[in-house]
Amino acid sequence: MNYTMETIEAWLDRFTEVIEQNKQVLSDLDTPIGDGDHGNNMARGVKAYQEAKEKKAPESIADVFKTMAMAMISKVGGASGPLYGSAFMAMAQASKAYETLDTAELAAVLEAGALGIKKRGKAELEEKTMLDVWWPCVEELKENQLTEEKITAYVHHTKELVAKKGRASYLGERAIGHIDPGAQSSGYLFETLIK
């Protein structure tokens, strides 16, 4: 599959819709282990992305990712804004040389995003963060094996983990049994990509 700037925009437009539709779900997931505002924060971020895009149309794939990065950094509170912002900024850097992306190139761009999250959040795998979805999804994408079932499984896997980062880490074992909200919103990002 070849991803053009239009394809990437269509993906992030769909992501915007899914975040809007599920903002209550995300905030409900965030309530027992965080501040309860992940859904509203993410909805603000994707709305800012749409507004920025209308004001100044992106001219390249890298531009699209940069527009999303800036919207996330400026509008999304908590840890999610800087983490998503770092991911999309790294993706903008990684896609600079491309006018279109094939699946392997897109996987490499998303891997740069995952590394951006890892670096910014100082996170490792199995720490109940969005990285627990990004990392395995990128690996599956490299092999052209990413499916909705696998994405759901990675999101649900965070339920079993003890949080080592963020507000949820204060709960220790009590965070077990709850899906990480950042992992769920990341799940939406990858689901809308494969759709």
Side-chain angles (χ1 to χ4, degrees), residues 22-42 77-80 166-168 171 178-182 184:
N22 292 284
K23 64 182 179 188
Q24 194 56 54
V25 173
L26 291 172
S27 288
D28 289 347
L29 286 175
D30 196 27
T31 300
I33 60 172
D35 290 334
D37 56 2
H38 185 61
N40 289 335
N41 280 342
M42 289 299 292
S80 305
R167 192 163 288 255
L171 296 173
H178 298 284
I179 289 172
D180 179 70
Q184 181 63 73

Side-chain angles (χ1 to χ4, degrees), residues 118-130:
K118 191 176 188 319
K119 192 173 163 192
R120 184 68 202 245
K122 297 179 176 55
E124 296 298 333
L125 284 172
E126 302 286 296
E127 291 187 338
K128 202 183 185 87
T129 71
M130 55 203 280

Side-chain angles (χ1 to χ4, degrees), residues 47-91:
K47 182 171 183 256
Y49 161 72
Q50 295 295 340
E51 286 167 357
K53 209 163 53 115
E54 275 163 34
K55 221 175 272 178
K56 185 180 183 296
E59 290 168 18
S60 66
I61 289 174
D63 243 12
V64 176
F65 289 143
K66 188 176 177 188
T67 305
M68 180 62 94
M70 298 316 288
M72 288 287 164
I73 290 165
S74 63
K75 294 290 178 196
V76 180
S80 305
L83 291 170
Y84 270 106
S86 297
F88 280 104
M89 199 54 94
M91 287 159 67

Side-chain angles (χ1 to χ4, degrees), residues 99-120:
E99 280 181 26
T100 64
L101 298 165
D102 63 23
T103 303
E105 288 159 349
L106 179 64
V109 165
L110 280 158
E111 184 170 32
L115 288 167
I117 293 168
K118 191 176 188 319
K119 192 173 163 192
R120 184 68 202 245

